[in-house]
Amino acid sequence: MPIRQTIPTAALQASIDRRTNRLLQALVNVLCYAGEEVVKYARDPNRKRYTDQTGNLTSSIGYVVLWNGRVVRQSDFSPVQGNGKKRSGAGGLSGTKKGREFLQKLISENSEGLVLIVVAGMPYAAYVEAMGYDVLDSAEIKAEEIVKRMLSKLRF
């Protein structure tokens, strides 16, 4: 007995498109949640890490979720007051600017697919990491854990 199509092709395609869009939205939500949680974790002042004298390094930490190069959601890069002797009245404003600039550069380099980017925009962030301090290393691990856990819950 041969298989016969009883549903119109357009209705079938519309059903597939709806399901695909729901799955894509679920993935976007997972990455947005992960971005928010990771930035909150990386900026947490109670976490043992580097001493941010001016607040710039912590202020430069942020994220963006992209879909085919289009920004879906992005952190606000709110300025953080430093905790060292070199406190400036600016309170991390330079860091927020550098974080946004670095993120814009990375956005322009990622024009395909669904992407989560987490940055520490100050030029010396890699140096601080290389000195053995945690800027984004543990946040990256946390992001992977969050995404895996959420995708597992969604049965991906």
Side-chain angles (χ1 to χ4, degrees):
M1 175 183 272
I3 297 174
R4 292 184 43 215
Q5 180 177 341
T6 59
I7 300 173
T9 303
L12 181 61
Q13 187 60 50
S15 177
I16 292 170
D17 290 345
R18 279 192 305 275
R19 176 74 174 147
T20 302
N21 286 335
R22 278 196 306 267
L23 292 172
L24 178 60
Q25 188 58 51
L27 289 173
V28 167
N29 290 339
V30 165
L31 293 184
C32 290
Y33 175 77
E36 290 290 335
E37 289 299 307
V38 166
V39 168
K40 186 173 21 173
Y41 175 77
R43 290 173 148 237
D44 184 356
N46 298 320
R47 209 166 53 83
K48 186 173 170 70
R49 56 190 176 129
Y50 56 91
T51 301
D52 194 355
Q53 304 260 337
T54 62
N56 286 327
L57 184 53
T58 303
S59 297
S60 77
I61 296 173
Y63 83 96
V64 68
V65 174
L66 304 172
W67 171 243
N68 288 334
R70 195 183 103 250
V71 174
V72 176
R73 191 171 304 155
Q74 180 175 337
S75 60
D76 62 358
F77 287 96
S78 55
V80 175
Q81 188 67 29
N83 56 6
K85 294 177 183 173
K86 295 182 183 179
R87 281 183 147 166
S88 66
L93 290 177
S94 177
T96 62
K97 181 178 181 232
K98 292 282 190 187
R100 284 189 185 109
E101 288 171 356
F102 188 46
L103 200 56
Q104 284 301 326
K105 178 183 176 293
L106 294 175
I107 287 170
S108 68
E109 297 172 0
N110 289 276
S111 60
E112 293 183 17
L114 183 58
V115 180
L116 167 63
I117 302 171
V118 180
V119 299
M122 292 306 287
Y124 56 83
Y127 174 76
V128 173
E129 288 268 354
M131 295 298 294
Y133 296 103
D134 182 17
V135 178
L136 287 180
D137 282 344
S138 64
E140 179 183 357
I141 294 167
K142 189 170 185 68
E144 289 176 12
E145 291 170 354
I146 290 171
V147 170
K148 284 179 184 176
R149 186 180 72 241
M150 297 294 288
L151 291 179
S152 174
K153 284 183 178 182
L154 292 171
R155 296 192 177 121
F156 271 90

